[in-house]
Every structure is written in structure tokens, then in C-alpha cells.
Amino acid sequence: MPATPEQWIAALSQTYWTPGSGRRIDPLTRTRTATRTEAPANVNVKGLDKATEGKNVIARAARLATEDSPLGRMEAVAIRDAFVMEAEELAEQTETVRTRACPACGCFTLLPVKGKAHCANRHCAPRPGLRRRWTYRDLGYTRPAKPRGVKRSDGYPADLRPLKFLAEFFAQSGRAVSVDTLARWVKLHNLPRWPVDGKTYAYSLSDVATVHAAQLAAREGQLCGDQARPVCTGLADLFYNTDEQAGAMDNALMKRRVAVAKELCAECPFIAPCREAALKPNGKEQHGVAGGLTRNERRDLKTERGADQ
Ligand SMILES: [Zn+2]
């Protein structure tokens, strides 16, 4: 499969001859079989135009790269990536677009439609029924967003899918998660579900997409440098609703949620400042888990500290 602009130009420029028939066929839809009644296949003009365009893109990227400025390098990468995504769309492939996170919501649900990447997450839509759209250039210039948080649908959402489908869908983004893990996450976040038959349930793709993005962000929360972030990014739901919703959730699940939140805290690079802030004597009373401690544990520690002084 072509991966670089150079490989794409080669793929788009060559024409194939079907053995025996002496007939030219479209280089990117090799599966077509010629029949006696079929009109002679022509060269794919769209593909050839794209190949010519690709040569200009490469020349421009090379010029930008020699400028030796961070902005120039960024633009060089962006225009090359955009060319690859456009060429892929021409060949009805989605590989590169699928690996990008949405610059607005951080979900891995981008799909190419008519020269733009559409975010399939309904929770990200600017208006109901409208998908958020990005040009392929946008994707090169913008940083993927931090996931905003876990969302839940009400009513009967239009994007219901079984977990098996969703696991395969997210695997296309290069961030595969097993069906079992997805099942654990959707339970942990109390996502609404709709029965399909006696045994299996369907979940809203948009709901699961926000959980997928937020849980991955938590796992990758310890990235160093500029990208460092607390592991609770996007998981406010898990961290702050642990004592409030006790009535609405069964006890075992609540305990499990607290345990998971504490586990994540333990690995967080920000645990020390976070705990200090949470334990300030006059600090605002917070709900849920903060700095690896539950509300009750923090309250006890505060009283202890108060008694020492
Ligand atoms: Zn989005």
C-alpha cells in the first residue's frame, strides 16, 4: 500500500495492461475484469492529474524544508500529508485519515467524505445533524484536541453499534482496544445500552468514541514535554462523580470506579501538586478522587493536619 507521496505518484502514474486482452485498466481499481462487451477502459485521468499535482507538492515541500524554520517544516509535512490523504480518498482508502484524532474533540472517528475529514462523533457536531468537517490541510496544521470528556446519549441514538463492530472501527485508527476492554470501559462509565437480541447490546458510536479517546488519553497521560497532562484529562466523569451518584449506581461498580481512578492517579506525574491543592486547609471542598485520595480520605487527612498545628 502506498504510504508516501512518492509512492502514490508511482501508483497513480502507472497503467496496467490486462494479460492477453491488451487493454489498459485503471491502476487503482485493479480488480475490474474486462468482458467482451465492455467498452475499452481508459486511463484514469483523475489519477494522472493527481500524480502531476503530487510532483508540485513534493517540490514545494522540499523548498519549504530547506528554509529551515519550524513553521516551514510544519507546512512541508502538512502539505505532504494532505496529498497522501487526498490520494487515498481517490483510491477509496482511509488509512491515514483514520489515524488522526479530531482537532476539536480528540476522538478517533474521522472519515474522508468528498475531500474533507468528517468527525463521526455526534457529540462533536456544531449543530445536531451536522458533522464537524476538516480539510486535510487543517489536520496537518492543528494539534489533536485533548478529549473533552465522556458523553452519554439519551433517547434512541442513530449510531447504535455492537461492541465488536466498535472494536474493529477503533482498530483502524491504530489504537486497537479489545472487545473485553471496551466492555469494561462502557460499564465503568455507565454508558446507556440498547438490547439487540437476548444476549448482546448496542452502544452509541459517539458515546463509546468519547470513552475510547478519554481512556487512551489517561493511559498516555504521562507523555513528557509540552504534551504532559494529568491522567484525569477527559475523565472528569470518572473522577468527580464518584460520591455524588452513589445512589444511581450499584455499590460494586462505584468501588470499582474509585479503584480505577486511584490507579490512574498513582501513575500521574501531577499527583503531588494535585494532592497539595486538594489538601489546602481553606481549599474548596471537592468531590470525588483528587491526588489519589477520596473525599473522605482527604477530610481525615485535613483534620489530622489541623490537629498537628
Ligand atoms: Zn470531533
Side-chain angles (χ1 to χ4, degrees), residues 234-253:
L235 290 174
D237 162 77
L238 179 66
F239 278 80
Y240 302 115
N241 288 336
T242 37
D243 33 41
E244 287 307 278
Q245 295 190 331
M249 223 179 279
D250 73 87
N251 230 344
L253 178 58

Side-chain angles (χ1 to χ4, degrees), residues 241-283:
N241 288 336
T242 37
D243 33 41
E244 287 307 278
Q245 295 190 331
M249 223 179 279
D250 73 87
N251 230 344
L253 178 58
M254 192 51 71
K255 274 186 187 154
R256 175 83 191 120
R257 279 166 66 92
V258 170
V260 169
K262 281 184 166 185
E263 255 170 53
L264 288 168
C265 271
E267 294 171 3
C268 180
F270 299 95
I271 184 165
C274 176
R275 183 175 288 186
E276 273 321 298
L279 288 177
K280 269 189 187 153
N282 304 323

